[in-house]
Amino acid sequence: MRGSLVVLIVVALAGVSTPAAAETVVTKDAAVVYLKPGEASKVVLKVKSGQQMTVLRRDGRWVKVRVRGRTGFIPRTKISGGEADEPVERQTRRRPYVDGRSTDRGWGGEPPEDRRGIDAVDNVDGDDPEPRERPEPRERIERAERPRDSEPEVAAKKPSRERKPAEPRKREQVTVRVDPEDPAERTERSARKPSKRAPIEEDDDLDERPRVTLASDARLRAKPASSSRTVAKFAAGEYVLLEERRGWARIENDVGERGWVASDLVVADGVTAKSSRIISLGARIGYSSITQGTRTVGGAKGLPDNYNLSTSGVVALIGASAAFPVKSKLYVGGELTYIGIKALPGINYMNQTTGITNHSVDVIGVGGYDLRNKLGMVAWGRLGFHYEMLSISDVTDLTKNTAKLPSEILKGFTFGGALSASNVTKKIGGQVGLDILPVGSRTQTKNLEDGGSPSTTGLWLFATGQYRVSKALTVDLGYRLTYLSNTFGTPPATSMRGHTGTDVSRVDVIHGLQLGVSQAF
């Protein structure tokens, strides 16, 4: 009983088959791999002699292979190894088409290869009769048996008769109808068609587009957003890289299917592809308006205690920014911005015009998180330092500075945030943001102070719209609002400002609208 059980187990194990290893072949000579069977098909790539390939399937005289991460078809006559060396089974006939005639059937003399010799008349089976020998013509046999010296005598007895030249035999025209939709016939026509392609160069890959490797199976999206619909599923492997956009890569397979996949799933040159860097330089010019409202507790109405002043001017902005990916969704970088405002004409008081110029510089460090949606949105955190100088023309000459306005310097650290969207539409993007000054120090021209203990809080609200003229050049339209709340405390006795009250305060509001361009690098 035990012996029978052992026998059954051995038989069962013997019936279990192990998975077969993938079949590999090599090229005999330099060859071309085509997208589809047939020499008229699109060329996928060219390979040199001895190139190893993996066989995917066989289709007549064509073999589908994978080589260097790409798939295509190659004639089996160009490869060796595996089943490629086995003879191609031909469709042969064991008997002639017509008894007593040739087993060949072809046009123009030579019969086709698969209708020649033993392949055409292979009568090895016992059931088949021996092939007939073609009989010699009777006249040829008699002439061969007749003695040479008797030929003239026969010729003498037989009256000479002039023979008419034989009319050339007309070849019967046969019309062969071919089904153009038959894939086999298309392949044959492609094979018969002479190739006009350039000579093969070893290792000449016609598709020079960059290629990347998909680390794992992934779903491809119609747009660069995780919420977009799925258009295809790609297995892990090598693909063509078409473009990259803010954490997404657009890839294409060998048969033309394409779509978007997250960049962290794509490997290029052995390194995971991250979001692309963002470097730009821009300049804008536009219009600005400046207003100041000064209030003094207990002071007189009007100058110098309670008054409003306003002026307009031109504004110029120059900025540079850079952000570099540190992970698939994270950026770090910085911004440097200069804004200059020139009041035109200035402050008019007592028949005198006082010129005002404002200069400000912001140095800001930024960190970004790519939201990876269809708008291409990135959330930014901002931490920086603000420096601003308000310059009054002839500030110490009170005959020209009749309003007794002081020059000022404002300094302080800022923090804030921004949200950018690069793909609002195909051509339009934008950014909005806010920087806050929690506490800033302000100094004024000596002897023209508004108070003995000045401090400033404020904010800057900005918005920018961008229109892409080209991949790197954009036209920018920007708006910037400055709001600063200043407290000065009690005026010092040495000040010539002339305040009659206490607790002086002032609110500064600046509106700026600029138009310009920026260049990405």
Side-chain angles (χ1 to χ4, degrees):
M1 182 67 180
R2 180 175 300 176
S4 300
L5 181 60
V6 172
V7 171
L8 289 175
I9 294 176
V10 171
V11 171
L13 291 177
V16 178
S17 61
T18 57
E23 180 188 356
T24 58
V25 295
V26 295
T27 53
K28 299 176 182 178
D29 302 300
V32 175
V33 178
Y34 298 94
L35 182 61
K36 298 179 180 180
E39 285 82 353
S41 178
K42 178 183 176 183
V43 174
V44 175
L45 76 161
K46 297 179 180 180
V47 293
K48 62 182 181 180
S49 176
Q51 176 69 57
Q52 187 171 355
M53 305 177 178
T54 300
V55 175
L56 302 180
R57 66 182 173 89
R58 298 177 180 275
D59 188 1
R61 73 182 190 94
W62 292 91
V63 180
K64 187 174 184 181
V65 296
R66 175 174 287 278
V67 52
R68 287 156 48 184
R70 310 187 70 176
T71 59
F73 289 83
I74 187 170
R76 63 181 298 164
T77 55
K78 295 290 186 179
I79 58 177
S80 63
E83 299 178 11
D85 294 332
E86 297 181 2
V88 180
E89 182 179 353
R90 296 174 177 171
Q91 297 180 2
T92 60
R93 292 181 61 87
R94 298 186 181 278
R95 297 188 181 185
Y97 287 99
V98 179
D99 287 346
R101 297 188 181 180
S102 172
T103 56
D104 300 336
R105 174 174 289 182
W107 300 106
E110 292 295 326
E113 290 293 338
D114 59 351
R115 295 291 184 267
R116 293 185 181 180
I118 190 64
D119 284 347
V121 291
D122 184 12
N123 296 320
V124 295
D125 294 338
D127 297 336
D128 292 338
E130 291 294 327
R132 298 184 184 180
E133 294 185 2
R134 188 170 183 176
E136 291 289 338
R138 182 179 301 277
E139 181 181 352
R140 189 183 305 169
I141 296 174
E142 293 178 353
R143 182 174 298 177
E145 296 175 351
R146 187 181 302 138
R148 282 181 172 272
D149 54 359
S150 64
E151 288 183 6
E153 185 178 352
V154 173
K157 292 180 179 180
K158 194 172 184 178
S160 175
R161 185 169 57 181
E162 187 176 346
R163 215 172 191 183
K164 294 182 179 180
E167 295 182 0
R169 183 177 180 182
K170 295 183 180 180
R171 176 174 293 179
E172 182 180 359
Q173 295 184 356
V174 178
T175 303
V176 179
R177 298 188 179 275
V178 177
D179 184 3
E181 301 299 325
D182 185 1
E185 183 60 35
R186 288 202 306 269
T187 303
E188 287 299 321
R189 292 203 309 275
S190 301
R192 292 195 298 268
K193 186 177 180 180
S195 176
K196 298 181 180 180
R197 301 185 184 276
I200 298 175
E201 299 180 6
E202 290 190 359
D203 265 349
D204 180 17
D205 193 340
L206 298 184
D207 193 346
E208 297 180 352
R209 294 176 295 179
R211 302 184 70 83
V212 294
T213 300
L214 192 60
S216 61
D217 297 354
R219 295 174 181 269
L220 269 68
R221 308 289 180 177
K223 296 180 180 180
S226 56
S227 59
S228 181
R229 64 183 177 88
T230 300
V231 294
K233 294 181 181 179
F234 281 7
E238 191 178 22
Y239 298 95
V240 174
L241 176 64
L242 301 178
E243 63 177 302
E244 292 181 277
R245 187 185 301 176
R246 297 288 178 85
W248 290 85
R250 193 175 184 221
I251 60 177
E252 180 184 68
N253 64 9
D254 295 332
V255 297
E257 294 178 324
R258 57 183 62 181
W260 293 91
V261 66
S263 294
D264 53 2
L265 297 178
V266 173
V267 178
D269 298 330
V271 180
T272 301
K274 304 180 180 68
S275 302
S276 57
R277 67 181 186 180
I278 306 170
I279 301 177
S280 65
L281 178 65
R284 302 199 292 263
I285 189 170
Y287 167 83
S288 180
S289 69
I290 304 172
T291 61
Q292 285 186 350
T294 302
R295 301 292 181 266
T296 304
V297 177
K301 293 182 178 180
L303 289 169
D305 291 318
N306 294 281
Y307 65 90
N308 296 321
L309 62 83
S310 63
T311 184
S312 59
V314 294
V315 57
L317 182 151
I318 299 175
S321 64
F324 302 91
V326 292
K327 288 187 178 180
S328 62
K329 296 183 179 182
L330 299 180
Y331 291 92
V332 294
E335 291 182 7
L336 176 63
T337 305
Y338 164 79
I339 299 176
I341 301 174
K342 176 65 176 177
L344 294 176
I347 301 300
N348 293 315
Y349 182 69
M350 296 177 62
N351 297 323
Q352 288 291 332
T353 300
T354 302
I356 298 176
T357 306
N358 190 81
H359 305 275
S360 66
V361 176
D362 287 281
V363 181
I364 299 174
V366 299
Y369 180 80
D370 195 335
L371 301 180
R372 290 197 178 165
N373 55 27
K374 63 182 179 180
L375 297 179
M377 299 176 70
V378 180
W380 302 93
R382 300 163 60 87
L383 181 63
F385 181 80
H386 178 79
Y387 177 89
E388 183 176 321
M389 180 176 67
L390 179 66
S391 177
I392 304 298
S393 301
D394 302 311
V395 62
T396 58
D397 187 351
L398 300 184
T399 61
K400 295 181 179 180
N401 181 18
T402 55
K404 300 180 182 180
L405 298 175
S407 294
E408 300 177 351
I409 293 177
L410 171 65
K411 295 182 290 184
F413 288 96
T414 63
F415 70 92
L419 185 65
S420 64
S422 59
N423 302 317
V424 177
T425 68
K426 186 176 181 180
K427 290 284 189 179
I428 296 176
Q431 182 181 34
V432 294
L434 176 69
D435 289 330
I436 297 174
L437 177 70
V439 179
S441 65
R442 185 182 289 273
T443 58
Q444 297 179 302
T445 303
K446 189 175 182 179
N447 297 327
L448 290 177
E449 300 95 337
D450 283 302
S453 56
S455 67
T456 301
T457 61
L459 60 85
W460 291 268
L461 176 66
F462 56 91
T464 304
Q466 297 176 325
Y467 178 81
R468 277 186 290 274
V469 178
S470 65
K471 185 176 181 180
L473 183 66
T474 62
V475 176
D476 302 337
L477 178 63
Y479 167 76
R480 185 179 177 93
L481 167 66
T482 300
Y483 180 89
L484 300 174
S485 177
N486 309 281
T487 59
F488 298 97
T490 301
T494 56
S495 176
M496 293 185 290
R497 286 282 284 159
H499 291 298
T500 60
T502 60
D503 297 327
V504 181
S505 62
R506 191 184 75 215
V507 173
D508 302 333
V509 178
I510 303 175
H511 297 274
L513 189 65
Q514 316 97 28
L515 179 66
V517 296
S518 62
Q519 175 73 36
F521 300 93

